[in-house]
Amino acid sequence: MGRRKSQKVHPIGCACRSCAPRPCRDRRIELAIKGATRALFLIAGLLMIPFIIAHALASAKGDNR
């Protein structure tokens, strides 16, 4: 026996599950995406350190090229 649809009238833009069903996303996938994003930002930050130091040293010497 299938689920019966609600017979109520919903306003435009209603976000209930019967009007706008949301795809079920696995929590492990969300945690993996969040962890991967954090790891990429950490790696990008670590790779930027030598460039920041080189820029600071060049600015201290007055060589702004």
Side-chain angles (χ1 to χ4, degrees), residues 9-42:
V9 176
H10 294 267
I12 295 175
C14 179
C16 73
R17 289 187 177 206
S18 62
C19 292
R22 297 179 191 143
C24 183
R25 205 166 188 193
D26 192 8
R27 182 161 168 77
R28 290 184 302 173
I29 294 173
E30 290 181 13
L31 290 175
I33 291 171
K34 186 184 263 188
T37 304
R38 287 182 180 172
L40 287 174
F41 276 116
L42 180 65

Side-chain angles (χ1 to χ4, degrees), residues 36-65:
T37 304
R38 287 182 180 172
L40 287 174
F41 276 116
L42 180 65
I43 291 169
L46 290 174
L47 290 176
M48 285 298 296
I49 290 173
F51 294 102
I52 294 170
I53 292 172
H55 178 69
L57 291 174
S59 294
K61 291 179 182 176
D63 184 20
N64 294 326
R65 292 185 191 180

